[in-house]
Amino acid sequence: MRFGFRRLQWRIAAWTAMILLSVQIGGLFLFEHVGRSSALQEVKVQLDTGDRVLDRLLEQRSAQLAQAARVLAADFGFREAVLTGDADTAASALENHGSRIGASLMLLTGLDGRALAAHPAGGDAFAQRLARFIADAQARGAATGFQVVGDSVFQLVVVPVMAPVPVAWVAIGFVVDEALVHDLKRVIGLDVSLVRGRELEAALVASTLPTDVDAAQLLADAGHGMLVGGFEYAGLVRDLDPLASERVFAVLQVSLERALEPWERLYREWSGLTVAATVAMLLASMWMGRTIASPVTRLAEFARRVRVGEYAAPPMVRREDEIGRLATAFALMTEAIASREARISELAYRDVLTGLPNRVQFVESLDRFVRSFGERGERLAVLTLDIDRFKLINDSLGHDLGDQVLQEVGRRLQHAGMRRRDLAQGLQDEANACARLGGDEFAVLVPGADAVAARVVAERIAALLEAPMNVQGQLVDVRASIGIALYPDHGNDAGELMRGADVAMYKAKQAHAGHAIYDPAHHGRNAARLSLLTELRQAVEGDELVLYYQPKHAFCSSAMLSVEALVRWVHPKRGFVPPMEFIPFAEQTGYIRAITLWVLERAVRQCAEWRRAGRAVHVGLNLSARDLLHPELPDQFRAMLEHHGCEARWITLEITESAVLDDPRKALATLERLHATGCQLSIDDYGTGYSSLSYLRQMPVQELKIDRSFVMNLTTRPGDELIVRSTIELAHSLGLVVTAEGVETEEILVRLGELGCDLAQGYFVSRPVDAAGLEAWMDHSPWARGDHSSGTEPTNYA
């Protein structure tokens, strides 16, 4: 019995051993499968996670490049250089901006794709490769991508230069090299290779792999494994720019040997346990099942959650072996990925200079509030503000101090301006109430505010900003123009509200009103102004403008005939467009510069033609305040005189007395250079501006024109006669010739002569006429012959 028992024991033991051995052997095969599957799953998770992080990094890099390009494109001086065709200034701006951001290529192209300026030299060869980027930027406002040039790969960004429509394109390029892929590896934690081309023509651009690899093999074998330096790698291929003419791929790689190494060690240890006792094997199998399979399964499940962006705490695995280290590695990897994504999000949504939310975050917050408040039927206000004359602060005090001014504005908005009582319930983050949109433009969100409350907040913001700022011992006065848009009155989404607030802000700036609430009529007027600018540009390019000439009567008959050249616009569809409809608009938009050059060229040419025909005519024409801020104007005027054979002394340039107020130093310097050409200078509309006699004494002028508002009532208002008499006496004491504008009656003309006026101009002498009409006037009018007698009505020759 005992032997039988013993045999039964052995039989039981044998059967148990056989069963357990079978289970153990089966478990070995199962464990091998589970281990490799888990390792491959981990590798896949790493690749997928690395791919997402790479995508975020490229998006972040593209956004930073686009923002850097927009900063340059929005720079006032740079836009002025583009609009005026100042290639040297544009190239200098490209070089300076490129040096600050470490760009490999800075390029400015025209709307026709032709290179206008580039840095470094030779960079204009890129212009012919930017067609698809420009097309994409026209549709989206900016374009980024990769471009292969020669043996190098560049990451490019293209943005428009707005004034206010696109007038040129700025392209910034950064070379893709070994430094970039090593930076990507440090962030992603995977090996990265960049390859250009496809199949047999593929070429390796840069790689973090320890040994050289064949680019074609890298693309072909990345999806199912490849050998590099004796190690097997799994990879993932990412097309960085599907629209590029020559494709650029990023290949992410993970070493399978390193991923499988813990599992292979565990497999060997597990095999050693198979020779132990049956009970030990059973216990070991149960223990291993509990301590290995279960944690691995939980870690694999956690890896799947990480893949979709869930960064919760990893499962607790209290072990000191490989499984514990693997769990610790999972935890560290998750923390690192979460930290990197948080940093990426912070850079994407936070303004670095002021620490305030940027435009992207503000618009997203505004969009959430609009949806939430719309459901509850509540109101909110959006305020956008722009610092007045901020460019002057930068130019006169330096960009470093300008940055500190922006920081102080941000602090005042954040800490003092947005108290809790200004914010309705539901605002989770009080700092999100204000944001820096870019440059010197900020925005404020005021939930629950109607028009009255929004005005109160705007006035308080204006008062806060007007308090002097002490920056580096320098007192700086800051004022802002504030635009207000209300929900739901002025829009039902964030985009409409932001546009409305911007329109109102520019309206407030134009009117010097401090703040303004959006009026839907502004949009129609803005559209009409945009259309007018386009048509005005076409008018200059298509020669739709015409010069009319208004003669001046000289009280001294020996004086030569003087006329004033006046620009008129004959629109092919609208007909005659009055000057008051397009001249002020051209001055506001800066297009007056092109109109002035057109008028100068035509007037100089006509004056030269009259002189060659034996007609002694002295021509005067107007310059705007903007014209005096362009230092190249004197050289352009001198070139026109030489080209048409016109002497400078036959031309008088007329300016308003307030034209030097914006920048007296530059304006007076330009006037001195114009006077040096030999032309005459005249102060137009005298008496209506704000300049002092000190400016009148400094300006190198030879003529003073009394504004028509004082002349038209000369004989009926004693106060006006006193002003005219004192002005004539003042001008003569300064050695200036005096011209009276707005002479419409014989009585006024006679009285001007008695007061000692030198020249008279107005409808009584002649209305403005075209060149042919002026020639007829010179041939037949008694005014031209100098025998005009009292009581004779002058004849106009149109």
Side-chain angles (χ1 to χ4, degrees):
M1 289 293 296
R2 288 185 298 178
F3 178 76
F5 176 76
R6 288 196 299 269
R7 292 186 61 184
L8 181 58
Q9 273 186 319
W10 285 109
R11 287 178 63 186
I12 294 173
W15 282 106
T16 303
M18 289 177 62
I19 294 172
L20 292 177
L21 284 173
S22 299
V23 172
Q24 192 72 8
I25 293 172
L28 287 173
F29 287 103
L30 179 63
F31 185 74
E32 180 184 14
H33 174 73
V34 171
R36 185 172 180 86
S37 298
S38 297
L40 292 176
Q41 181 67 24
E42 177 190 344
V43 167
K44 186 175 185 303
V45 169
Q46 291 182 27
L47 290 173
D48 291 341
T49 302
D51 183 54
R52 289 200 310 276
V53 174
L54 175 63
D55 187 64
R56 290 290 184 91
L57 289 175
L58 292 179
E59 287 180 2
Q60 172 68 20
R61 182 178 173 89
S62 297
Q64 290 176 339
L65 299 185
Q67 180 63 22
R70 289 192 181 98
V71 168
L72 175 62
D75 182 79
F76 179 80
F78 180 73
R79 287 187 297 171
E80 287 293 325
V82 173
L83 290 172
T84 59
D86 189 351
D88 292 338
T89 301
S92 177
L94 291 176
E95 180 179 359
N96 293 337
H97 196 70
S99 298
R100 286 197 297 273
I101 65 176
S104 307
L105 169 69
M106 302 291 294
L107 179 62
L108 173 67
T109 70
L111 296 179
D112 58 356
R114 180 174 56 85
L116 303 179
H119 179 77
D124 51 0
F126 280 81
Q128 60 186 350
R129 302 175 182 266
L130 296 181
R132 73 177 182 91
F133 290 93
I134 292 176
D136 194 19
Q138 287 174 335
R140 302 184 181 181
T144 61
F146 291 80
Q147 180 66 49
V148 178
V149 179
D151 295 329
S152 300
V153 176
F154 288 84
Q155 185 175 5
L156 298 177
V157 59
V158 175
V159 299
V161 180
M162 308 292 289
V165 297
V167 296
W169 299 98
V170 173
I172 299 180
F174 291 80
V175 69
V176 175
D177 54 14
E178 294 285 345
L180 175 61
V181 296
H182 282 285
D183 286 341
L184 292 176
K185 179 179 179 179
R186 281 193 294 271
V187 177
I188 299 174
L190 306 177
D191 283 297
V192 181
S193 300
L194 294 180
V195 179
R196 61 182 178 85
R198 292 297 298 268
E199 299 176 355
L200 298 179
E201 297 179 357
L204 187 66
V205 178
S207 177
T208 62
L209 291 173
T211 59
D212 294 335
V213 293
D214 182 72
Q217 180 187 3
L218 192 64
L219 291 179
D221 297 340
H224 51 271
M226 64 178 295
L227 290 176
V228 178
F231 293 92
E232 185 179 4
Y233 281 78
L236 184 148
V237 179
R238 169 73 179 277
D239 192 344
L240 296 183
D241 193 348
L243 300 179
S245 58
E246 184 172 353
R247 308 288 279 277
V248 180
F249 301 90
V251 183
L252 306 181
Q253 294 119 344
V254 179
S255 173
L256 289 178
E257 276 75 6
R258 293 191 181 94
L260 290 171
E261 182 180 355
W263 300 104
E264 292 176 352
R265 187 182 304 115
L266 289 174
Y267 182 82
R268 291 191 299 269
E269 294 175 357
W270 181 270
S271 300
L273 293 176
T274 58
V275 299
T278 303
V279 176
M281 290 175 64
L282 177 60
L283 295 176
S285 63
M286 294 175 60
W287 179 77
M288 292 295 287
R290 288 196 308 270
T291 59
I292 296 179
S294 179
V296 169
T297 302
R298 295 201 304 272
L299 289 175
E301 177 60 31
F302 173 69
R304 284 191 288 270
R305 294 200 303 271
V306 170
R307 184 179 64 180
V308 297
E310 297 180 10
Y311 301 114
M316 295 296 295
V317 180
R318 301 183 181 279
R319 297 175 61 119
E320 300 298 329
D321 58 6
E322 290 81 357
I323 300 298
R325 291 196 294 272
L326 179 61
T328 302
F330 261 83
L332 294 176
M333 180 186 71
T334 304
E335 291 177 4
I337 294 175
S339 176
R340 286 193 290 268
E341 289 203 355
R343 178 57 178 165
I344 291 171
S345 298
E346 181 181 359
L347 293 175
Y349 290 99
R350 186 70 54 176
D351 175 59
V352 178
L353 179 64
T354 62
L356 296 176
N358 61 12
R359 178 184 291 273
V360 174
Q361 183 171 353
F362 184 81
V363 171
E364 289 184 0
S365 299
L366 176 59
D367 190 56
R368 288 195 301 270
F369 268 87
V370 167
R371 290 197 300 269
S372 175
F373 279 39
E375 294 172 356
R376 301 199 299 263
E378 299 183 19
R379 305 172 61 85
L380 63 84
V382 176
L383 285 66
T384 59
L385 60 98
D386 182 86
I387 300 176
D388 297 337
R389 296 181 179 270
F390 182 71
K391 182 180 183 299
L392 181 61
I393 295 176
N394 269 342
D395 292 344
S396 58
L397 302 179
H399 288 274
D400 290 341
L401 192 141
D403 287 345
Q404 295 183 42
V405 170
L406 292 177
Q407 292 171 339
E408 178 62 23
V409 170
R411 282 191 290 269
R412 293 190 181 190
L413 289 177
Q414 189 175 22
H415 296 144
M418 296 293 99
R419 294 191 291 270
R420 278 288 181 186
R421 66 170 178 264
D422 297 327
L423 306 177
Q425 62 277 13
L427 185 59
Q428 300 298 322
D429 183 1
E430 191 168 348
N432 287 338
C434 55
R436 182 188 177 207
L437 303 181
D440 60 334
E441 188 174 353
F442 294 79
V444 176
L445 172 61
V446 189
D450 57 9
V452 175
R455 285 185 183 274
V456 171
V457 173
E459 290 170 358
R460 183 161 63 247
I461 290 175
L464 285 167
L465 296 182
E466 287 176 3
M469 298 180 182
N470 191 329
V471 182
Q472 294 182 357
Q474 178 77 40
L475 286 179
V476 181
D477 290 326
V478 172
R479 289 178 173 81
S481 299
I482 304 174
I484 303 171
L486 304 172
Y487 172 81
D489 303 11
H490 302 144
N492 293 314
D493 60 45
E496 291 181 357
L497 292 173
M498 292 294 291
R499 286 191 294 272
D502 283 343
V503 170
M505 178 185 69
Y506 287 114
K507 186 68 177 178
K509 184 177 290 289
Q510 292 174 0
H512 303 286
H515 67 272
I517 293 182
Y518 174 69
D519 182 351
H522 293 165
H523 181 75
R525 287 195 292 269
N526 286 343
R529 286 162 62 88
L530 182 59
S531 175
L532 181 62
L533 178 61
T534 301
E535 294 179 349
L536 189 56
R537 182 180 292 109
Q538 294 173 348
V540 174
E541 296 173 354
D543 245 7
E544 296 175 10
L545 301 181
V546 178
L547 279 188
Y548 275 52
Y549 301 89
Q550 186 172 29
K552 302 177 184 179
H553 169 66
F555 290 96
C556 175
S557 59
S558 62
M560 74 173 63
L561 175 63
S562 295
V563 299
E564 181 180 0
L566 304 170
V567 65
R568 298 293 185 261
W569 183 8
V570 182
H571 194 280
K573 295 182 179 178
R574 300 186 188 183
F576 179 78
V577 180
M580 289 306 297
E581 289 189 13
F582 69 91
I583 293 297
F585 171 73
E587 290 179 342
Q588 293 172 7
T589 60
Y591 200 67
I592 191 66
R593 172 78 177 136
I595 295 178
T596 298
L597 292 177
W598 185 94
V599 171
L600 272 174
E601 200 277 334
R602 297 303 191 280
V604 167
R605 182 178 65 185
Q606 183 63 63
C607 180
E609 290 178 357
W610 278 331
R611 290 285 179 161
R612 284 192 292 269
R615 298 182 183 273
V617 181
H618 190 99
V619 179
L621 48 95
N622 292 281
L623 297 180
S624 74
R626 285 181 176 268
D627 294 321
L628 296 183
L629 300 181
H630 288 274
E632 68 273 15
L633 178 64
D635 294 333
Q636 293 173 328
F637 176 58
R638 191 188 306 273
M640 293 178 188
L641 295 172
E642 294 175 356
H643 178 72
H644 294 291
C646 179
E647 294 188 24
R649 60 189 178 90
W650 300 339
I651 302 295
T652 295
L653 302 179
E654 302 179 6
I655 59 170
T656 60
E657 58 175 328
S658 59
V660 299
L661 290 183
D662 283 344
D663 194 334
R665 182 180 58 83
K666 288 185 179 180
L668 290 174
T670 302
L671 286 176
E672 291 289 351
R673 293 176 60 203
L674 286 171
H675 182 246
T677 65
C679 72
Q680 304 294 304
L681 296 178
S682 172
I683 298 179
D684 196 12
D685 298 336
Y686 182 78
T688 62
Y690 302 96
S691 62
S692 65
L693 289 176
S694 63
Y695 280 137
L696 178 62
R697 182 169 50 85
Q698 293 178 55
M699 290 188 287
V701 298
Q702 292 75 43
E703 181 185 30
L704 186 149
K705 299 183 72 175
I706 304 175
D707 187 71
R708 61 186 297 111
S709 62
F710 302 108
V711 175
M712 293 178 65
N713 300 307
L714 174 66
T715 58
T716 57
R717 295 182 181 176
D720 286 359
E721 179 176 337
L722 178 61
I723 292 174
V724 171
R725 179 190 295 113
S726 61
T727 302
I728 293 174
E729 293 174 355
L730 171 65
H732 284 167
S733 67
L734 295 175
L736 305 180
V737 174
V738 181
T739 298
E741 297 180 296
V743 178
E744 298 187 358
T745 67
E746 178 85 11
E747 184 180 5
I748 293 176
L749 182 68
V750 171
R751 186 57 183 151
L752 286 170
E754 294 171 351
L755 293 176
C757 188
D758 301 299
L759 297 169
Q761 177 181 353
Y763 282 4
F764 184 74
V765 177
S766 175
R767 293 179 177 271
V769 293
D770 59 14
L774 182 65
E775 293 173 1
W777 184 89
M778 287 187 285
D779 292 336
H780 303 289
S781 173
W783 295 97
R785 296 194 301 270
D787 57 358
H788 168 69
S789 59
S790 177
T792 302
E793 185 69 21
T795 302
N796 288 302
Y797 298 86

